[in-house]
């Protein structure tokens, strides 16, 4: 089993990715609670994390996390109601949060239903700053997926929000195929985390993974994730790592 402490860890299958991610999640939670008395995690949306969330909601993993000392945030949200099939909150609730005893006052949902998305983004930022380390808005763990185009959370290639230096949360209009209006953590928020864990599976991601990891100057959003004072782990299945293992073409 790959030991993902930082850097790139490659496992054989999506199931192994969920198992390895579960171990990292459990260890991050134990470390944060041991050091600071609580674990603040931002969940990723999309499909890839479903395997992790389902594993965490079941035994034995469920009993290995102190859910009552866990604070749950979201890396991004589609601008839809929480009951919408496209809602990241709904996916997290159905696969994990509805099955573990995180106190409801410790689950901080992004108000995707808000008509004023910019206001909802500002409100979420105020919550992050108030609830997390005063003013810093620093999570212990941020989970991220990556799109085929190298987007992370709802930060898409070419987006002006990629240049944001101060705000932690922004409302964005994206070219996402699924719900283009989004609310997302910005790079300052992501890069403030103690640990960032990418969960990436599937051959269709291989080109973007190689582009982001091989070229430090890559403009891809995924290449801009570098925790300032934290650990970055790319957890990949063999298919998503395929282009990494091929010699770079000139
Ligand atoms: C979202 C996610 C997004 C996702 C990637 C990968 O709201 O869709 O935040 O950034 O992580 O698009 O999605 P898959 O895991 O479904 O490939």
């Amino acid at each position: 089993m790959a030991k993902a402490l930082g850097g790139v860890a490659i496992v054989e299958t999506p199931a192994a990715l969920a198992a390895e991610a579960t171990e990292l999640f459990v260890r991050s939670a134990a470390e944060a609670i041991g050091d600071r008395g609580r674990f603040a995690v931002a969940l990723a949306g999309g499909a890839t994390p479903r395997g992790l969330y389902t594993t965490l909601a079941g035994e034995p993993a469920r009993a290995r996390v102190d859910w009552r000392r866990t604070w749950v945030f979201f890396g991004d949200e589609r601008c839809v109601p929480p009951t919408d099939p496209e809602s990241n909150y709904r996916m997290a609730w159905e696969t994990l949060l509805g099955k573990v005893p995180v106190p409801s006052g410790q689950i901080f949902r992004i108000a995707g239903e808000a008509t004023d998305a910019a206001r909802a983004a500002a409100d979420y930022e105020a919550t992050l700053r108030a609830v997390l380390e005063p003013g810093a808005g620093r999570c212990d763990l941020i989970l991220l997926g990556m799109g085929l185009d190298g987007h992370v959370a709802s930060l898409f290639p070419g987006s002006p929000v990629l240049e944001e230096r101060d705000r932690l949360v922004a409302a964005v209009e994206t070219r996402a195929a699924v719900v283009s209006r989004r609310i997302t953590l910005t790079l300052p928020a992501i890069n403030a985390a103690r640990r960032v864990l990418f969960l990436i599976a599937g051959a269709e991601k291989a080109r973007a993974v190689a582009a982001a990891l091989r070229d430090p100057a890559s403009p891809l959003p995924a290449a801009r994730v570098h925790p300032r004072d934290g650990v970055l782990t790319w957890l990949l299945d063999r298919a998503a790592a395929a282009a990494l293992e091929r010699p770079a073409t000139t």
Side-chain angles (χ1 to χ4, degrees):
M1 180 182 293
K3 281 289 160 269
L5 298 174
V8 179
I10 301 170
V11 295
E12 287 306 315
T13 64
L17 190 113
E20 185 67 22
T22 296
E23 290 307 310
L24 272 169
F25 187 102
V26 168
R27 279 168 39 198
S28 298
E31 186 178 287
I33 292 167
D35 291 350
R36 291 174 295 281
R38 71 172 181 182
F39 172 49
V41 57
L43 301 180
T48 306
R50 294 181 73 100
L52 165 62
Y53 300 163
T54 302
T55 305
L56 285 170
E59 297 304 348
R62 186 181 190 277
R64 297 174 60 201
V65 177
D66 186 345
W67 298 106
R68 297 195 184 286
R69 286 199 272 180
T70 298
W71 270 250
V72 177
F73 302 87
F74 290 83
D76 69 335
E77 185 56 275
R78 291 88 179 270
C79 289
V80 293
T83 52
D84 189 291
E86 297 303 339
S87 163
N88 286 337
Y89 169 82
R90 172 171 162 173
M91 183 273 285
W93 177 264
E94 289 175 344
T95 54
L96 177 61
L97 298 177
K99 301 174 178 179
V100 294
V102 177
S104 58
Q106 292 169 206
I107 299 175
F108 300 89
R109 181 177 67 81
I110 298 173
E113 71 278 15
T115 48
D116 183 345
R119 177 60 191 271
D123 290 347
Y124 202 69
E125 172 158 345
T127 297
L128 285 176
R129 291 185 185 276
V131 173
L132 295 172
E133 275 174 49
R138 191 174 191 203
C139 284
D140 295 302
L141 173 63
I142 295 183
L143 300 174
L144 292 176
M146 186 189 73
L148 305 183
D149 58 0
H151 77 257
V152 297
S154 287
L155 302 172
F156 282 72
S159 167
V161 177
L162 286 168
E163 306 314 319
E164 178 61 48
R165 291 285 176 272
D166 302 312
R167 287 180 300 166
L168 301 179
V169 187
V172 291
E173 186 61 51
T174 73
R175 57 167 181 262
V178 171
V179 186
S180 60
R181 288 178 64 239
R182 307 280 188 98
I183 295 171
T184 184
L185 296 188
T186 60
L187 286 172
I190 292 169
N191 287 329
R194 288 189 173 83
R195 177 190 283 274
V196 176
L197 174 58
F198 272 113
L199 304 178
I200 306 174
E204 70 279 9
K205 306 285 180 75
R207 281 174 57 88
V209 164
L213 279 171
R214 279 195 169 135
D215 176 7
S218 166
L220 292 181
R224 307 278 298 271
V225 174
H226 294 292
R228 290 189 297 276
D229 178 21
V231 175
L232 172 61
T233 301
W234 289 71
L235 186 54
L236 312 171
D237 76 347
R238 184 68 63 196
L244 272 183
E245 296 171 313
R246 284 197 293 267
T249 51
T250 50

